[in-house]
Amino acid sequence: MHNIRKITDDLISIGANDRRITRFENQHPVPNGMSYNSYLLLDEKTVLLDTVDKAVGELFLENLEAALNGRELDYLIIQHMEPDHCALIPRIFELYPQAKVLGSQKTFVMIQQFFGLDLADRAMVMKENDTLTTGVHTLRFLMAPMVHWPEVMVTYDETSKRLFTADAFGAFGAVDGNQYADEYNVDTDLLPEARRYYTNIVGKYGRQVMSLLEKISHLEIEMILPLHGPILRQDLHYYIEKYTKWASYTPEEKGIVIAYGSIYGNTEHAAELLAAKLADRGEKNIVVYDVSAWHPSYILSECFRFDRFVFACSTYNMEIYPPMEMLLLELKGHNMQNRTVAVIENGSWAPQSGKKIREILAEMKDMRVLESEITIKSAMTAADEEALDALADMIAKA
Ligand code: FEO
């Protein structure tokens, strides 16, 4: 039984939720599932914007048939070739053989790579600012390379002032009935998973996201329609401002992420003591994460949010305790930069984690590592606590 949602009389949402998925891209936990959005424009010509993940393929095809209601499909616009959106392309080619296919040049290379398909005369290669008039609507294509793959383009409907943004402005999580972001409590129910989605999936490509933001700043936009999560139709400046901060690696607000890697609890104790000392100095946004308990995607997301980090870590096999090393490599891999960082190490006979952590931080851009070095030998001493007080002063002043 199909499940299609009308946005306007001529624009239908035909995507679907996957609530059985546990890890997006087989790595990021998605406890509330994922939505794979797809849109059908019913103008004089019919236009499908992207397909979906194979997990929801059958429902999507039923939705498409129902939304077309007996009409032919004239155009398929492919904005992004990652398989969470492109999986149903071969089925669309089979079911609607007359449909022309629009994408960037690299899109057609990837169609060949993924599916071994050469579209020949069905392919319409789009370049920056090319347009397609479908009747009442004129669609303009803007190239958005590396937001999140090199072939990505976004689509601006000049007639209805709607911007179809591919992965940009998406979120982790299924869409719970309400299809517009303004129908949710944005700060508590939407923003954390939108931030975790952006930072982990697209976060590395801040420069390219900034260039897309610059392009769209010249457009009059009434609605943003991403390929994941709810549609945005109110307070668009709020989301664009968040994206601008994330893409420029600017903290959203003052706050401290304390991430600790602790084997038997002694390093954890230092992290807890430091959190309390920071609170005593008036700090409000303090978030403490055990790197063994939290998937790095959550901690990375908080690191994009706040301006100061503390890494407190045991030494393990003369190296950084592995879950902490994974977090640091994720931060480096996502181009995290422009932050103030403190390091606390622990080691019972040859502490090494502090030095190794600083080596990774040195490979990142504009990471200001506080001078104070705290080395715990097994368990905290009175002298260590004094050093923690001094460190708390430095972090609070930073
Ligand atoms: Fe939702 Fe980059 O795919």
Side-chain angles (χ1 to χ4, degrees):
M1 182 63 192
H2 64 78
N3 182 4
I4 63 178
R5 307 293 302 278
K6 194 191 268 193
I7 299 167
T8 57
D9 284 342
D10 63 0
L11 186 64
I12 316 289
S13 175
I14 61 168
N17 289 323
D18 178 3
R19 294 181 189 273
R20 296 189 175 202
I21 185 176
T22 55
R23 300 232 165 189
F24 183 70
E25 290 185 348
N26 209 15
Q27 59 169 330
H28 304 293
V30 278
N32 192 33
M34 275 308 282
S35 77
Y36 302 102
N37 302 344
S38 169
Y39 305 99
L40 183 70
L41 178 65
L42 297 169
D43 201 357
E44 287 169 27
K45 300 288 187 185
T46 59
V47 185
L48 173 62
L49 289 114
D50 294 295
T51 75
V52 294
D53 188 88
K54 66 177 185 292
V56 295
E58 288 307 312
L59 178 56
F60 161 76
L61 291 174
E62 271 189 65
N63 286 350
L64 176 58
E65 188 182 1
L68 282 169
N69 194 21
R71 295 183 65 183
E72 293 291 345
L73 180 66
D74 297 304
Y75 297 106
L76 166 62
I77 294 173
I78 301 172
Q79 301 186 109
H80 185 14
M81 275 298 294
E82 192 166 6
D84 57 326
H85 309 292
C86 82
L88 273 287
I89 286 175
R91 294 285 285 133
I92 296 294
F93 291 167
E94 284 166 24
L95 292 167
Y96 304 97
Q98 74 296 334
K100 298 274 191 203
V101 182
L102 288 77
S104 67
Q105 191 173 28
K106 288 197 169 82
T107 296
F108 295 98
V109 175
M110 288 192 181
I111 289 176
Q112 173 67 33
Q113 288 175 190
F114 274 111
F115 307 119
L117 290 170
D118 182 357
L119 300 186
D121 58 342
R122 296 175 64 178
M124 293 172 64
V125 179
M126 294 295 109
K127 300 185 302 301
E128 182 76 6
N129 277 318
D130 280 354
T131 57
L132 173 76
T133 297
T134 59
V136 174
H137 294 261
T138 295
L139 306 177
R140 180 175 295 279
F141 303 100
L142 305 172
M143 301 301 123
M146 302 319 298
V147 186
H148 139 236
W149 279 15
E151 84 298 355
V152 172
M153 64 180 198
V154 304
T155 306
Y156 178 58
D157 182 338
E158 294 183 345
T159 312
S160 56
K161 315 291 182 216
R162 295 185 189 123
L163 185 65
F164 298 87
T165 52
D167 273 344
F169 298 100
F172 285 142
V175 169
D176 291 338
N178 292 304
Q179 60 177 343
Y180 299 103
D182 53 272
E183 297 168 318
Y184 294 79
N185 181 326
V186 171
D187 285 338
T188 57
D189 299 343
L190 204 55
L191 187 63
E193 287 297 75
R195 181 191 294 111
R196 191 166 67 90
Y197 170 80
Y198 169 83
T199 54
N200 283 277
I201 305 302
V202 195
K204 177 182 173 68
Y205 303 109
R207 187 169 53 78
Q208 292 88 340
V209 175
M210 287 301 278
S211 81
L212 177 62
L213 292 172
E214 204 284 321
K215 278 185 202 181
I216 69 171
S217 70
H218 304 290
L219 305 176
E220 189 185 335
I221 303 170
E222 290 182 3
M223 192 179 276
I224 290 177
L225 299 104
L227 291 179
H228 301 287
I231 296 164
L232 315 178
R233 63 177 178 184
Q234 283 182 14
D235 303 322
L236 299 186
H237 61 277
Y238 171 87
Y239 299 97
I240 290 169
E241 190 186 311
K242 291 290 182 199
Y243 259 65
T244 305
K245 290 217 161 127
W246 299 334
S248 61
Y249 306 97
T250 306
E252 286 172 60
E253 54 189 320
K254 285 179 74 71
I256 302 158
V257 180
I258 302 177
Y260 68 83
S262 184
I263 305 164
Y264 291 107
N266 290 300
T267 309
E268 176 181 3
H269 184 57
E272 295 283 14
L273 269 177
L274 180 62
K277 289 177 187 302
L278 288 164
D280 289 345
R281 284 158 177 77
E283 294 290 340
K284 292 282 183 264
N285 292 321
I286 306 166
V287 289
V288 180
Y289 285 97
D290 178 348
V291 294
S292 299
W294 285 86
H295 188 273
S297 65
Y298 289 92
I299 310 174
L300 180 134
S301 178
E302 293 284 64
C303 287
F304 270 79
R305 183 177 174 197
F306 293 130
D307 64 327
R308 288 157 290 166
F309 311 154
V310 178
F311 300 117
C313 188
S314 305
T315 301
Y316 197 86
N317 286 335
M318 297 296 283
E319 296 285 345
I320 302 168
Y321 182 56
M324 176 66 83
E325 185 173 31
M326 178 179 285
L327 171 65
L328 291 162
L329 294 178
E330 286 284 332
L331 290 169
K332 183 181 151 199
H334 286 78
N335 263 335
M336 174 48 65
Q337 53 191 267
N338 183 32
R339 299 295 195 272
T340 298
V341 186
V343 179
I344 300 170
E345 68 176 351
N346 193 345
S348 290
W349 61 95
Q352 282 291 311
S353 53
K355 173 172 163 278
K356 302 257 174 180
I357 289 172
R358 277 189 287 275
E359 283 170 7
I360 296 177
L361 294 170
E363 293 167 6
M364 298 161 70
K365 199 173 156 198
D366 296 335
M367 297 300 260
R368 299 170 292 276
V369 182
L370 295 176
E371 292 287 305
S372 163
E373 292 186 7
I374 299 187
T375 297
I376 301 163
K377 288 291 208 65
S378 303
M380 290 278 297
T381 62
D384 291 336
E385 184 163 7
E386 273 177 35
L388 273 189
D389 272 312
L391 183 63
D393 285 337
M394 288 176 83
I395 294 169
K397 279 189 198 126

